Amino acid sequence: MDKRISVFHGDCIDIFKDIETESVDLIVTDPPYNLSKNYGNNKDNLKHDEYINFSRKWLAEAKRVLKPTGTIYLFMGVRYISYIYMILEQELGFHFNSWITWAYTQGIGKTKGFSPRHDDILMFTKSKKFTFNIDSIRIPQKYYRSVNNMRGANPGNVWEFSHIHYCQENRQNHPTQKPEALFERMILASSNENDIVLDPFCGSGTSLRVCQQINRYGIGIEINSDYVTMINERLSQPFYGFDSIDSRMERVPNDLNDANIRRDYIGNHIKWFLGNHPDRISSFLESVDKKYSNKMVQLELESYFKYAVQEEQAE
């Protein structure tokens, strides 16, 4: 087991008590939405007031353990998100930063009313001084322009990632598994290498798997012992790239017509946007070939693929 990753079995409110005050850099978590989902040995079907009081307790502990520069990202369903927002801002004094929408193409079907196709993520900070690494989460520009920042653009607050479908190789036996790229973006943005990231409802272990691969210390709490076993097994698996990606990360900018500029940019693109996705490099280069094949000599294309192989081997 990676010594940077710790998984604790138990109720998060009890285990929070053993975490030192102001010791955690970032909290990213996907708590139960109280929609009667079956999580094995427990269901999230508390009465309204019970759920609000439970949320109030663990969020108060979350504030206590966060460093003054810390951030919390919290997934929440529409039924309770307004209550959670009020607890964070009005009762606990967190600073609101962003309301993120995770949009996806497949979900629950409805015949009366509109089928839901998004989840919400609240981002709050403990103070007005907080970590945010914009360069670590930029997305490629649509066009090459000398006036553009070719390091990339801000991804915005609407994120499109596919669900982890039941037929996908990385699918765990958990009803609400989230894509790794969601956690990748949050953790890269709001923590640095060797920082401590806490997930008090770590479920299928996605947050810990991401921490493991991008050099963070991960602390996970999970009440279901079967899920703890599953998480430990998942963390022992070899890594070939995260199980999902923002499709914009693979787009090839238009107007890369100058050979020298194109050569520099392609190498940088792989390093900037595909560093945690080595399995996507070959398909990206195929897109480069398709878009610019009439402008490239064979030697240039071969140099790109050689670079890609070196990057994959380095992983």
Side-chain angles (χ1 to χ4, degrees), residues 26-31 71-75 100 121-124 131-132 159 185-187 189-190:
L26 172 64
I27 295 176
V28 286
T29 196
D30 180 24
T71 297
I72 181 170
Y73 289 88
L74 170 65
F75 288 81
I100 299 160
I121 308 169
L122 295 176
M123 175 190 176
F124 279 81
T131 298
F132 193 76
W159 301 352
R185 180 169 288 169
M186 294 182 287
I187 295 171
S190 297

Side-chain angles (χ1 to χ4, degrees), residues 175-187:
T176 61
Q177 181 179 349
K178 300 296 190 293
E180 290 172 346
L182 276 173
F183 283 86
E184 175 195 13
R185 180 169 288 169
M186 294 182 287
I187 295 171

